[in-house]
Amino acid sequence: MSNPIRKAVFPVAGLGTRMLPATKALPKEMLPVVDKPVIQYALEEARAAGIEEFIFVTSRGKSLIEDHFDYGFELFETLKAKGKTKELDELLSWLPKAGTVNFTRQQQPLGLGHAVWCARHMVGDEPFAVVLVDDLMTGTPGCLAEMVEAHARTGGNIVAIEEVPQDQVNKYGVLDPGADDGTLVEVKGLVEKPDIDVAPSNLTVVGRYILSGAIFPLLETQERGAGGEIQLTDSMAKLIDREPFHGLRFTGRRFDCGKKLGYLEAIVACGMDRPDVAAGLQDIVRQYV
Ligand code: G1P
């Protein structure tokens, strides 16, 4: 049995250009879906997977993320004084415990591989998760929890995967698949954003990873890949012959909140899951379709 996964890295340095002007001053990770910022869904999913330490790789202009996970002294005291204990208890129920949230900065936008590498000293040499916050995942017990459970059986490295239409494969990391039992797929190769006509399959990596600490010396070389960026996928590909490497078809759904339509769909889907707004939201949506 492999080590439990205790730490998760959240690369949150991206500019969010596809959601401008909303993201001009507001970090894209703080965009609300119903009444929670996108980043809180990711943290709650990680916590449901047993993650104890949350490592955020930020950049300039992202300090609202730190504030969101901090103790809100003035707000909490005011809620207490007004007797709004329900609201206060709700906030305290998800607030990370002191010392479990760490921040480091990616000083330059050099790619996802570089962002993860920036967290190397905080992770150390142990298996860890990477959570791309733009990909909002729904489902129970959660995508990352399913991956942690699978990792206990396989060890090595696991990425969440999804089939996409062939004409979309050039937007993703793509698998060269081996043995496939319908849920777990052996990974024989990985290629970042291949041209549509040479992609090895239409099975793509989505924003959840469990990686071994062996990824860090590979990222250290800082080789540039697709788009001139230091790609996580390229270093993962080098691990394939050395360690077990699998893709997991997860049971929930993914919404790409980095894009307008994905974000709008996430709001509708999450709203329909919420007893306090579901019926009203259904009435509203009906008026427009
Ligand atoms: C990143 C990864 C890519 C992965 C995708 C999932 O790409 O590099 O391999 O398939 O996330 O959302 P990005 O969306 O940052 O271009």
Side-chain angles (χ1 to χ4, degrees):
M1 175 123 164
S2 59
N3 289 340
I5 313 301
R6 301 186 308 117
K7 300 182 182 180
V9 175
F10 301 76
V12 290
L15 288 176
T17 44
R18 285 176 301 184
M19 295 296 275
L20 283 168
T23 49
K24 180 170 175 282
L26 184 74
K28 62 176 172 159
E29 298 79 10
M30 291 299 294
L31 288 168
V33 169
V34 188
D35 54 7
K36 278 195 282 193
V38 169
I39 197 163
Q40 195 177 327
Y41 287 85
L43 182 123
E44 289 176 1
E45 182 194 332
R47 187 182 273 151
I51 299 295
E52 297 162 3
E53 207 173 305
F54 309 92
I55 301 165
F56 296 95
V57 182
T58 70
S59 59
R60 285 176 291 284
K62 298 279 184 166
S63 54
L64 276 182
I65 296 176
E66 296 184 43
D67 292 344
H68 186 67
F69 292 122
D70 198 359
Y71 191 88
F73 190 77
E74 283 178 4
L75 173 66
F76 293 179
E77 288 305 308
T78 308
L79 290 174
K80 221 183 283 177
K82 288 183 182 288
K84 293 192 179 281
T85 45
K86 187 171 159 285
E87 288 82 355
L88 181 61
D89 290 349
E90 171 61 28
L91 288 170
L92 291 171
S93 72
W94 59 260
L95 197 71
K97 293 205 174 61
T100 62
V101 181
N102 290 310
F103 294 89
T104 188
R105 275 196 179 193
Q106 184 185 23
Q107 294 164 318
Q108 289 175 275
L110 299 178
L112 179 59
H114 180 259
V116 171
W117 177 77
C118 288
R120 66 199 178 283
H121 296 301
M122 290 172 163
V123 174
D125 186 20
E126 61 180 278
F128 66 104
V130 176
V131 177
L132 305 190
V133 173
D134 281 356
D135 282 340
L136 189 156
M137 306 299 211
T138 57
T140 314
C143 180
L144 198 58
E146 289 176 28
M147 293 171 71
V148 166
E149 192 270 323
H151 185 265
R153 289 180 278 124
T154 63
N157 304 270
I158 300 192
V159 289
I161 57 169
E162 202 172 65
E163 269 166 48
V164 301
Q166 192 65 33
D167 64 356
Q168 303 282 310
V169 290
N170 57 349
K171 300 190 173 78
Y172 295 94
V174 180
L175 265 67
D176 180 3
D180 183 348
D181 71 5
T183 306
L184 264 185
V185 182
E186 189 194 337
V187 178
K188 291 200 305 183
L190 281 168
V191 45
E192 180 69 14
K193 301 192 174 73
D195 286 339
I196 290 166
D197 45 344
V198 297
S201 75
N202 68 340
L203 277 178
T204 59
V205 177
V206 293
R208 300 293 182 273
Y209 309 72
I210 293 178
L211 301 172
S212 86
I215 195 79
F216 290 118
L218 297 169
L219 289 170
E220 191 85 33
T221 62
Q222 314 262 310
E223 267 168 52
R224 305 290 177 129
E229 296 190 344
I230 300 166
Q231 295 290 353
L232 183 59
T233 304
D234 295 344
S235 289
M236 293 195 304
K238 293 181 189 151
L239 280 178
I240 292 169
D241 291 333
R242 303 193 205 168
E243 298 181 347
F245 211 120
H246 293 88
L248 179 77
R249 290 189 181 87
F250 57 101
T251 58
R253 288 199 59 194
R254 174 181 83 105
F255 302 95
D256 183 355
C257 290
K259 290 188 194 137
K260 292 175 190 56
L261 281 176
Y263 175 63
L264 290 173
E265 191 180 0
I267 292 173
V268 175
C270 293
M272 293 308 291
D273 264 352
R274 286 274 303 262
D276 54 339
V277 296
L281 177 61
Q282 201 167 354
D283 289 344
I284 291 168
V285 172
R286 268 207 208 100
Q287 292 175 37
Y288 292 91
V289 291

